[in-house]
């Protein structure tokens, strides 16, 4: 399951995304530039409405940029594809498919045989701690379990990139912490590049190699914080002085940008 | 990773399907339901019996209405003969044909109209125009259009079921969560796969609702058409019985229609539930 180390290089070059509707134009992202190394874990942190989801959508290929481009492993992103999987905030499993049916979906699309895809899907369900839940329907699972199915469903495709849009935002604090530890465990196994959007500063610092702090809309990078905390990380790192120092630095910026977001977009 | 707390505690079967306190329900509540249902039907017959026995005349008049036991006698007599079955079979054949045609056409067109802008623009306007016309109003035209009585009645039945099926299918498709479509594309699904794996199952609950409604409407249309223009069928039988002053036969005809309609709706419900095992069972106040 390990990434050969070669894939998952994302280059977001001078990206601009604007939405127009009835003559109104909303500029969601402006001159956004970010490079990731293969297998890196990058968190995107920024005030509500600053364009984080839009940015992920551009990497996934759901929206077309109005300026600049996204390049993944040398290919310009033009459309959605299985090499860039997305874990949504909630309710994106197929309710009519069982857990294993959801996880197998990508393999089915590639024409993998039934036996083979069941075997692979099981491996990934084990990886996210859901062995035994193959036959359940998503509606029968807790929020945290549904998100784990969502993660397995993406990873079974062995994507270059996994995009995660506030995947744990709707979970309670305890489950959220469990899910963060689980995600780190899974990521250690698969080593795919992850871009992880969150509102939660602790979550961003705990999980990632680098945290990109975004400005208020139109979103740009305000600061790129490298998190040099040793891995594997345990929940206790949150209390270390290094963590506190990083948090203080990020917090000030997020506060300023949130205040900025309330007073309207920059010209 | 083994120490994921919720995996151990969360039940495999959802709490929505089997309420956690199900085994704790008192005896009488569980036995109470079938008993209540039987009592409710029994009460209906008792009231009917009393109304006809006393020849109640309170603006609505019950003097000419047959009593339950008269109807029962008549039913036994009819079921012993052959003629009545010919009528039942004629009606069932028309319902089955009309409903099957309406299902195939309605679901196919509904899926296309709901999903493809081009299909919506080209196919939907005539449907919207014809929809408000009650199927019974089609009877004269239908007799002119179709060469046989059978085909014209099947046509009316089809029309009745068609509109609810199309509309519900269209709404079902239009209500599909865009997020699911995005999820599918980013998992490698192409256009055909999205239609097959997302659009059709996503619209299924709404399609089944359309089929239920359509089944009800097609019975209404069938019976009306048979009464107006038939020479066979339960509707014809009932209308004829009225004409020849056999009032208990009228009621037998009515009850037969009721029972057949109820059975066909139940059939749709059962098949629908089979096709959609992911839907939670309905929850009701048990107090
Ligand atoms: N399809 C769209 N049409 C028009 N405007 C849009 C569209 N999608 C996003 N926007 C606008 O772009 C801006 C950025 O939205 P986006 O959803 O990316 O923010 P976000 O950072 O993800 O916010 P949140 O943290 O609340 O999820 C918002 O002002 C939003 O209104
Ligand atoms: Mg968002």
């Amino acid at each position: 399951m390990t990434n050969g180390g070669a894939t998952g290089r994302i280059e977001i070059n001078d990206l601009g995304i604007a939405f127009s509707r009835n003559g109104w134009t909303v500029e969601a992202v402006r001159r956004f530039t970010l490079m990731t190394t293969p297998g890196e874990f990058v968190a995107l942190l920024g005030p509500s409405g600053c364009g984080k989801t839009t940015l992920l959508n551009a990497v996934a290929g759901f929206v077309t940029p109005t300026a600049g481009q996204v390049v993944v492993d040398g290919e310009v992103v033009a459309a959605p594809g299985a090499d860039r999987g997305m874990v949504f905030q909630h309710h994106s499993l197929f309710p009519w498919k069982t857990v294993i049916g959801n996880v197998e979906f990508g393999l089915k699309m590639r024409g993998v045989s039934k036996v083979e895809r069941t075997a692979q899907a099981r491996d990934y369900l084990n990886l996210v701690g859901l062995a035994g839940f193959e036959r359940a329907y998503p509606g029968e699972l807790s929020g945290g379990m549904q998100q784990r199915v969502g993660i397995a469903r993406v990873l079974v495709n062995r994507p270059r990139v996994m995009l995660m849009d506030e995947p744990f935002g709707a979970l309670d604090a305890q489950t959220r912490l469990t899910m963060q530890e689980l995600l780190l465990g899974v990521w250690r196994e698969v080593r795919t590049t992850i871009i992880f959007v969150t509102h939660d500063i602790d979550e961003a610092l705990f999980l990632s190699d680098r945290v990109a702090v975004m400005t208020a809309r139109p979103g740009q990078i305000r600061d790129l914080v490298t998190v040099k905390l040793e891995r594997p990380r345990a929940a206790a790192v949150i209390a270390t002085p290094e963590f506190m120092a990083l948090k203080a630095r990020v917090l000030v910026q997020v506060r300023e940008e949130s205040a900025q977001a309330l007073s309207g977009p920059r010209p | 990773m083994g120490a994921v707390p919720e995996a151990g505690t969360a039940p495999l079967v959802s709490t929505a399907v089997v309420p956690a306190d199900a085994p704790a329900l008192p005896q009488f509540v569980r036995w109470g339901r079938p008993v209540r249902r039987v009592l409710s039907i029994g009460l209906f017959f008792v009231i009917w019996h009393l109304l006809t026995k006393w020849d109640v005349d309170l603006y609505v008049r019950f003097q000419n209405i047959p009593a339950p036991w008269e109807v029962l006698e008549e039913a036994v007599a009819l079921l012993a003969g052959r003629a009545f079955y010919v009528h039942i079979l004629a009606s069932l054949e028309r319902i089955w044909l009309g409903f099957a045609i309406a299902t195939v056409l309605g679901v196919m067109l509904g899926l296309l109209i709901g999903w493809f802008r081009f299909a919506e623009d080209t196919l939907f306007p005539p449907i919207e125009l014809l929809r408000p016309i009650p199927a019974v109003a089609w009877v004269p035209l239908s007799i002119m259009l179709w060469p046989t009585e059978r085909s014209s009645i099947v046509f009316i039945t089809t029309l009745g079921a068609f509109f609810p099926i199309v509309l519900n299918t269209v709404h079902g498709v239009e209500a599909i969560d865009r997020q699911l479509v995005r999820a599918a594309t980013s998992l490698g699904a192409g256009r055909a796969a999205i239609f097959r794996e997302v659009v059709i199952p996503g619209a299924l609950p709404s399609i089944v609702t359309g089929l239920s409604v359509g089944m009800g409407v097609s019975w209404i249309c069938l019976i009306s058409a048979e009464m107006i223009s038939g020479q066979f069928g339960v509707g014809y039988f009932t209308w004829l019985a009225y004409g020849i002053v056999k009032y208990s036969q009228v009621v037998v005809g009515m009850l037969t229609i009721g029972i057949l309609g109820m059975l066909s709706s139940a059939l749709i419900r059962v098949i629908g539930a089979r096709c959609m095992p992911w839907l939670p069972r309905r929850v009701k106040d048990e107090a």
Side-chain angles (χ1 to χ4, degrees):
Chain A
M1 282 191 203
T2 37
N3 186 334
T7 65
R9 179 183 305 282
I10 309 171
E11 299 161 51
I12 304 174
N13 291 319
D14 224 2
L15 202 70
I17 300 168
F19 299 100
S20 342
R21 188 177 293 160
N22 312 331
W24 252 133
T25 302
V26 177
E27 199 179 3
V29 176
R30 181 195 292 175
R31 309 210 59 169
F32 186 102
T33 297
L34 178 70
M35 310 282 165
T36 73
T37 53
E40 193 181 14
F41 198 131
V42 178
L44 277 185
L45 198 59
S48 185
C50 77
K52 304 181 292 294
T53 297
T54 306
L55 202 72
L56 286 194
N57 284 343
V59 179
F62 298 142
V63 301
T64 316
T66 33
Q69 57 187 13
V70 179
V71 180
V72 175
D73 291 333
E75 291 168 40
V76 177
V77 169
D83 59 326
R84 286 153 285 128
M86 174 91 93
V87 178
F88 300 86
Q89 181 166 0
H90 44 183
H91 300 310
S92 75
L93 298 178
F94 305 117
W96 48 84
K97 287 185 182 287
T98 56
V99 164
I100 193 130
N102 268 279
V103 177
E104 283 177 6
F105 187 83
L107 301 173
K108 188 175 178 188
M109 293 303 104
R110 271 195 274 147
V112 176
S113 76
K114 178 80 189 152
V115 178
E116 177 59 22
R117 60 183 198 246
T118 304
Q120 289 192 32
R122 270 177 203 282
D123 286 347
Y124 282 89
L125 278 175
N126 287 342
L127 187 65
V128 297
L130 283 180
F133 289 86
E134 289 84 355
R135 298 272 144 240
Y137 285 97
E140 301 168 353
L141 302 180
S142 71
M145 293 159 86
Q146 293 185 20
Q147 288 308 69
R148 284 187 269 161
V149 177
I151 292 170
R153 181 175 73 167
V154 164
L155 291 179
V156 81
N157 281 328
R158 300 173 198 221
R160 304 168 196 272
V161 186
M162 176 155 72
L163 306 164
M164 307 182 81
D165 192 0
E166 302 190 44
F168 310 147
L171 305 178
D172 64 87
Q174 187 52 50
T175 310
R176 181 189 274 236
L177 189 60
T178 317
M179 292 291 293
Q180 290 164 0
E181 290 175 318
L182 177 125
L183 177 62
L184 285 183
V186 168
W187 177 64
R188 200 162 56 232
E189 297 274 325
V190 299
R191 283 293 162 187
T192 184
T193 305
I194 295 181
I195 303 186
F196 188 104
V197 165
T198 177
H199 275 122
D200 180 340
I201 299 175
D202 284 341
E203 182 171 71
L205 291 170
F206 177 61
L207 292 174
S208 52
D209 297 321
R210 281 190 299 160
V211 177
V213 183
M214 289 177 69
T215 65
R217 183 171 68 81
Q220 266 177 321
I221 289 195
R222 166 164 172 164
D223 192 10
L224 258 176
V225 182
T226 305
V227 186
K228 290 211 190 77
L229 301 168
E230 205 173 311
R231 292 186 191 270
R233 292 176 192 162
V237 287
I238 295 189
T240 61
E242 298 97 303
F243 191 96
M244 300 289 228
L246 290 172
K247 184 171 175 179
R249 171 174 159 193
V250 172
L251 186 60
V252 175
Q253 306 187 46
V254 169
R255 280 264 169 81
E256 279 179 21
E257 293 303 331
S258 298
Q260 179 68 44
L262 285 179
S263 63
R266 291 169 292 127
Chain B
M1 227 188 306
V4 182
E6 22 157 26
T9 51
L12 181 53
V13 181
S14 106
T15 47
V17 174
V18 183
D21 56 348
L25 277 179
Q27 276 292 334
F28 75 90
V29 175
R30 276 189 289 156
W31 285 106
R33 294 198 58 202
V35 172
R36 288 196 299 248
R37 282 160 181 249
V38 169
L39 278 180
S40 139
I41 288 268
L43 191 65
F44 169 77
F45 281 104
V46 168
I47 292 174
W48 175 8
H49 172 71
L50 293 178
L51 288 172
T52 51
K53 185 179 172 204
W54 297 332
D55 286 342
V56 173
D57 186 352
L58 292 167
Y59 191 70
V60 259
R61 303 151 301 158
F62 287 85
Q63 289 96 332
N64 281 328
I65 304 300
W69 57 270
E70 288 176 296
V71 172
L72 185 69
E73 260 176 15
E74 187 65 57
V76 171
L78 283 170
L79 291 174
R82 286 199 54 208
F84 191 53
Y85 292 103
V86 173
H87 291 296
I88 290 182
L89 285 180
S91 290
L92 285 180
E93 191 208 16
R94 291 160 179 169
I95 271 284
W96 152 244
L97 256 179
F99 187 74
I101 296 170
T103 301
V104 172
L105 282 179
V107 171
M108 267 176 20
L109 288 176
L111 289 172
L112 295 178
I113 292 169
W115 194 241
F116 298 104
R117 177 69 25 101
F118 182 77
E120 184 185 1
D121 293 342
T122 51
L123 299 172
F124 208 35
I127 292 178
E128 283 284 68
L129 178 70
L130 297 180
R131 183 172 64 97
I133 304 171
V136 190
W138 281 87
V139 170
L141 204 72
S142 175
I143 295 173
M144 290 184 262
L145 276 172
W146 297 89
T148 63
E149 175 215 336
R150 177 165 167 261
S151 56
S152 77
I153 292 182
V154 168
F155 175 70
I156 298 289
T157 313
T158 306
L159 271 182
F162 174 75
F163 291 107
I165 295 175
V166 175
L167 289 186
N168 278 282
T169 306
V170 170
H171 289 155
V173 172
E174 287 176 347
I176 287 171
D177 192 346
R178 202 177 131 148
Q179 189 114 303
L180 293 179
V181 178
R182 282 190 162 175
T185 43
S186 80
L187 292 166
R191 288 162 60 92
I194 285 176
F195 196 75
R196 194 179 61 237
E197 304 275 346
V198 180
V199 176
I200 293 176
L204 200 54
S206 193
I207 292 175
V208 171
T209 305
L211 295 181
S212 282
V213 177
M215 182 55 96
V217 178
S218 68
W219 270 103
I220 296 173
C221 297
L222 172 75
I223 299 303
S224 318
E226 284 178 347
M227 284 185 164
I228 297 172
S229 77
Q231 283 155 30
F232 286 110
V234 185
Y236 168 76
F237 170 86
T238 306
W239 194 243
L240 181 75
Y242 176 69
I244 57 177
V245 210
K246 293 207 168 174
Y247 295 142
S248 6
Q249 288 195 357
V250 171
V251 179
V252 173
M254 287 170 63
L255 289 178
T256 307
I257 296 164
I259 290 169
L260 292 178
M262 196 177 75
L263 290 179
S264 29
S265 295
L267 189 68
I268 303 276
R269 261 205 309 282
V270 169
I271 294 175
R274 273 280 163 79
C275 297
M276 301 182 293
W278 69 88
L279 290 187
R281 285 212 223 126
R282 63 209 165 127
V283 177
K284 293 224 171 159
D285 188 347
E286 291 282 354

